Amino acid sequence: MRPLRRPVLAVLTGALALGGLTACTEKSDAKAGEDGAIGVTAADTTCDTTAKTAKAGKVTLAIANKGKRATEVEIVMPDGRIVSEKENIGPGVSYTLTAEVKAGDYEIACRPGMVGHGVRQKLTVSGKESGAKRDPRLDAAVSAYRDYAQDQADQTLPKVKVFTDAIRAGELDAAKKAYAPSRIGWERTEPVAESFGDIDPKTDTRADGLEKGQKWTGWHRLEKALFEDGKIGAEEKTLATRLDTDLKDWQRRVGRAVITPTSMANGAKDLLDEVATGKVTGEEERYSHTDLVDFKANVEGAEKAYTLLRAVAKTNDPDLVARLDTRFAALDKQLDAYRPSPDSYEFTSYDKVGEARRKKLSDGVNALAEPLSKLAAAVVGK
């Protein structure tokens, strides 16, 4: 799910308790207009940009959050699909977002508090992509990742049906057992689902992430009923069927997702941010304590995108690839310690993981997140 929608001070307070969690945001040296970047100044009620036009191809946003709340900045197509985004940019924090865009009309959206429609500025992109023809290895990577995302959606629906069938049958223990496996494919490819804007809020929102007037539906509403309330009633059975319907919509739409080499790279970083803001803290699966299942799925999804882009990134920045190889391997090894075998998805219940071990997991995430934030720039070349 999208990071918890709450004041960033609370995020930082919890982070400090874990020993300085910083993977959700990064400082950037980029300045508005530098190297052709479009400056984006986000505040609590405004979203100012230094340009309303850009040339097709690589577009860089030099984002600065001058507001008092965490914000999200997106490049949005007219039909609402998100080309690229950066979530959880804290007050006073800057970030450089690299994306690839074709000619057309777009909007740059700033979403203070990461809620609602946000404040938007028009962006008109014209012309053809300049420079040499794109490396065919990148086209192959995009094609392979699109197949991967569709395959994960296709594999998820039967697992979800096992979960929802158990709820409809009133079988509490069976539903609890099927809960975590039903989420793996979603967690591996969550940035693709989030790119549509309307699916994630219906399926993966926590109670404290609800917007005003929003009905709580989806996995976490059912998680609470099963693991905290210990009951399955008529409402839960109805919500189970709605979850089936909403996820079928996701499955149908995967093929329409905007996928580019930079969106893959940015999506990989977003998955690490998901770990930092929800899984390491234990907030994501607060009732079932199956956070490590989600944690591993997020890392696997990030690693898949990175692996597909690795050859091009190595050509452009071999030192970065060496760091990423090492840090992915180190984090994978850490996670293996919490399951009986490397091919098992039976992870230790997260409420059994003490603060010291959570701190080590946090450190592993931070060590990977920093170089991973540079992958998009390495893919398109500096």
Side-chain angles (χ1 to χ4, degrees):
M1 66 165 290
R2 291 182 184 275
L4 184 59
R5 294 164 179 163
R6 56 184 176 141
V8 76
L9 178 60
V11 175
L12 294 177
T13 301
L16 290 172
L18 287 171
L21 181 62
T22 59
C24 59
T25 54
E26 304 80 25
K27 290 284 185 179
S28 168
D29 294 328
K31 297 179 181 179
E34 185 178 292
D35 295 329
I38 298 173
V40 180
T41 302
D44 291 337
T45 59
T46 59
C47 182
D48 297 323
T49 59
T50 59
K52 306 295 184 186
T53 62
K55 293 182 179 180
K58 175 184 173 182
V59 171
T60 301
L61 303 185
I63 304 164
N65 183 8
K66 301 298 185 181
K68 296 180 180 179
R69 296 185 290 170
T71 195
E72 178 177 334
V73 175
E74 306 165 340
I75 301 175
V76 188
M77 297 178 69
D79 63 3
R81 286 180 292 167
I82 298 170
V83 176
S84 195
E85 65 180 348
K86 174 56 186 169
E87 303 170 343
N88 232 5
I89 305 172
V93 172
S94 298
Y95 189 85
T96 300
L97 178 67
T98 301
E100 295 164 276
V101 293
K102 297 180 179 179
D105 295 322
Y106 301 83
E107 289 180 322
I108 294 176
C110 303
R111 300 176 63 238
M114 298 188 288
V115 297
H117 184 74
V119 185
R120 302 189 174 210
Q121 297 288 353
K122 300 292 185 182
L123 178 66
T124 301
V125 178
S126 60
K128 296 181 179 180
E129 294 187 28
S130 59
K133 185 178 179 180
R134 187 162 79 179
D135 192 320
R137 293 177 296 177
L138 293 178
D139 292 325
V142 168
S143 178
Y145 187 75
R146 189 178 294 280
D147 289 344
Y148 172 73
Q150 186 66 64
D151 182 61
Q152 291 302 306
D154 293 345
Q155 289 185 37
T156 295
L157 268 293
K159 294 177 181 178
V160 170
K161 191 172 185 301
V162 173
F163 173 58
T164 56
D165 279 350
I167 292 174
R168 283 185 288 266
E171 297 174 354
L172 182 64
D173 289 343
K176 291 167 72 172
K177 182 177 180 180
Y179 171 74
S182 76
R183 292 176 48 74
I184 293 170
W186 171 274
E187 291 290 340
R188 285 172 176 159
T189 60
E190 192 166 0
V192 174
E194 289 185 349
S195 73
F196 296 109
D198 61 337
I199 296 177
D200 183 86
K202 293 184 288 188
T203 60
D204 200 29
T205 298
R206 301 196 298 262
D208 47 5
L210 295 171
E211 296 185 20
K212 186 176 181 179
Q214 180 184 351
K215 179 179 173 59
W216 192 17
T217 61
W219 268 301
H220 294 300
R221 166 64 178 80
L222 294 168
E223 178 202 7
K224 181 179 184 298
L226 299 174
F227 292 91
E228 182 172 87
D229 302 335
K231 69 179 184 67
I232 298 174
E235 183 178 4
E236 285 73 33
K237 293 178 182 181
T238 299
L239 289 172
T241 298
R242 176 167 177 176
L243 181 63
D244 286 333
T245 300
D246 289 337
L247 290 173
K248 285 176 183 175
D249 186 29
W250 161 57
Q251 180 192 32
R252 285 191 297 267
R253 286 206 247 172
V254 167
R256 295 179 47 238
V258 178
I259 298 176
T260 66
T262 52
S263 76
M264 290 169 59
N266 291 328
K269 178 59 171 61
D270 286 344
L271 285 169
L272 261 291
D273 290 349
E274 290 277 343
V275 173
T277 58
K279 281 71 173 183
V280 167
T281 61
E283 296 173 85
E284 178 81 352
E285 305 290 359
R286 62 189 65 175
Y287 311 112
S288 65
H289 305 300
T290 56
D291 302 87
L292 287 173
V293 177
D294 291 0
F295 191 142
K296 179 60 177 176
N298 284 161
V299 173
E300 285 177 337
E303 194 163 9
K304 178 66 175 182
Y306 164 62
T307 300
L308 292 171
L309 297 169
R310 184 181 181 280
V312 174
K314 186 175 182 180
T315 298
N316 295 331
D317 194 340
D319 291 341
L320 177 66
V321 167
R323 292 171 66 199
L324 286 170
D325 285 349
T326 298
R327 292 180 184 181
F328 264 117
L331 188 54
D332 286 335
K333 184 177 180 179
Q334 277 187 276
L335 288 169
D336 284 345
Y338 294 93
R339 55 181 176 171
S341 65
D343 59 350
S344 171
Y345 251 90
E346 296 290 331
F347 282 87
T348 301
S349 181
Y350 204 56
D351 59 336
K352 306 299 183 185
V353 179
E355 187 171 323
R357 291 197 292 171
R358 291 189 185 197
K359 168 63 166 57
K360 289 181 180 179
L361 287 169
S362 171
D363 290 344
V365 171
N366 289 340
L368 174 57
E370 187 276 325
L372 195 58
S373 68
K374 299 176 172 62
L375 181 60
V379 164
V380 296
K382 296 181 180 179

